[in-house]
Amino acid sequence: MTKFVAIANQKGGVGKTTTTINLSMGLRQAGRKVLLVDLDPQGNATTGSGIEKREIGAGVYEVLLGTVAVNDAVMKVDSTGLDVLPANQELAGAEIELVDVIGREARLKSALADCAGYDYVLLDCPPALSLLTVNGLVAAQTVIIPMQCEYYALEGLSDLVSTIKRIRSNLNPDLEIAGLLRTMFDARNSLTTQVSDQLKAHFGDKVYKTIIPRNVRLAEAPSFGLPIMLFDKTSKGALAYEALTDEFLQKFEGTRVMEGGNG
């Protein structure tokens, strides 16, 4: 049975897209069939997966409007081997066009119901609590929240958790938080360590043991349209996302793909 996982945080620049791309790649390398869905009009997950925006014939925009079926919009990327439901700036107009549509919050869930054959569907949500993010959370069974360990991130986390609770109460009773992922981590910063400790104290085993460090190679990879495992498989960023994949599979399947971890 396909598992739908939203990668969400309304705060920008916390590593949502980087996590979506590299977790998708890690799962594919572990032998899982994965679909990456780009719900952000910026289309960063699309280009970071190796797709040129000018090559997009149809994508999430057309799927949400119901003019194209998911399977007809999915693009198979030769350079990465990933299956991607792409996005571009047209997607920004979807929120306006859907404003008067009954059941607009569940348009993506309905569309993805016809998406068969995948073990996991990873949904890269935009950095806002918008209709697109709500569609992602309604379609998902579980949420991974990437976040930097800084003061303002804690405030944003509180808002996101409240939103998830409201969606669970009104639109998607099955929605759960799979885990919080600490990203762009710099252990030399005392505030970073303090916030990390607060997260572990409050959320316990919901905090992934794996920590994604600040890493230059990880930041460079998207400009080449490659996941970090293909761009520089020996980098700290690649090793961290391999460890995250392993921990993810332990949580979801009770299996391991590698020994050890970095947490």
Side-chain angles (χ1 to χ4, degrees):
M1 182 177 177
T2 305
K3 292 183 173 65
F4 295 85
V5 183
I7 316 295
N9 191 328
Q10 77 272 25
K11 191 174 187 302
V14 298
K16 288 188 302 297
T17 298
T18 298
T19 296
T20 307
I21 292 170
N22 290 299
L23 181 55
S24 295
M25 191 71 227
L27 290 170
R28 183 184 180 280
Q29 290 183 334
R32 306 312 189 268
K33 181 70 172 174
V34 183
L35 174 64
L36 189 164
V37 178
D38 189 352
L39 289 174
D40 190 341
Q42 296 178 84
N44 291 335
T46 298
T47 56
S49 300
I51 296 173
E52 293 284 345
K53 290 182 183 178
R54 63 177 179 272
E55 296 175 357
I56 299 173
V60 176
Y61 173 74
E62 288 80 7
V63 167
L64 285 173
L65 294 183
T67 59
V68 175
V70 169
N71 292 330
D72 293 330
V74 169
M75 297 183 68
K76 298 182 181 297
V77 187
D78 292 336
S79 60
T80 62
L82 292 173
D83 285 8
V84 180
L85 182 57
N88 55 27
Q89 290 182 341
E90 288 184 353
L91 184 56
E95 298 201 53
I96 298 172
E97 296 185 49
L98 292 174
V99 70
D100 294 323
V101 174
I102 296 173
R104 60 186 180 274
E105 299 91 349
R107 297 284 289 195
L108 182 65
K109 181 177 182 177
S110 298
L112 291 176
D114 296 328
C115 184
Y118 291 101
D119 298 307
Y120 295 98
V121 175
L122 270 58
L123 308 155
D124 183 35
C125 297
L129 296 178
S130 62
L131 181 58
L132 292 171
T133 298
V134 170
N135 262 267
L137 294 175
V138 171
Q141 297 150 344
T142 191
V143 188
I144 293 175
I145 305 173
M147 61 178 295
Q148 289 181 259
C149 291
E150 57 183 31
Y151 174 73
Y152 289 116
L154 289 175
E155 289 188 336
L157 177 61
S158 177
D159 293 339
L160 179 58
V161 170
S162 295
T163 298
I164 290 170
K165 288 180 178 178
R166 288 196 298 272
I167 288 175
R168 185 188 300 145
S169 297
N170 300 309
L171 296 167
N172 183 4
D174 298 325
L175 186 64
E176 299 289 344
I177 296 176
L180 280 70
L181 176 65
R182 292 163 289 175
T183 60
M184 303 179 186
F185 197 90
D186 185 352
R188 297 170 298 179
N189 187 321
S190 59
L191 178 60
T192 295
T193 304
Q194 290 171 19
V195 172
S196 177
D197 290 341
Q198 289 180 45
L199 286 175
K200 289 188 288 185
H202 187 71
F203 289 95
D205 60 5
K206 288 288 188 183
V207 179
Y208 279 99
K209 294 182 177 68
T210 302
I211 294 172
I212 309 300
R214 286 194 178 275
N215 181 247
V216 172
R217 300 296 278 170
L218 194 56
E220 291 174 342
S223 64
F224 291 86
L226 291 172
I228 188 62
M229 291 87 155
L230 300 182
F231 181 64
D232 187 348
K233 65 181 181 180
T234 63
S235 66
K236 290 182 178 179
L239 296 176
Y241 275 109
E242 287 175 0
L244 176 64
T245 302
D246 189 55
E247 191 174 358
F248 177 96
L249 288 173
Q250 287 182 64
K251 283 178 177 286
F252 279 81
E253 300 179 10
T255 59
R256 299 181 65 88
V257 294
M258 59 179 285
E259 293 299 325
N262 77 335

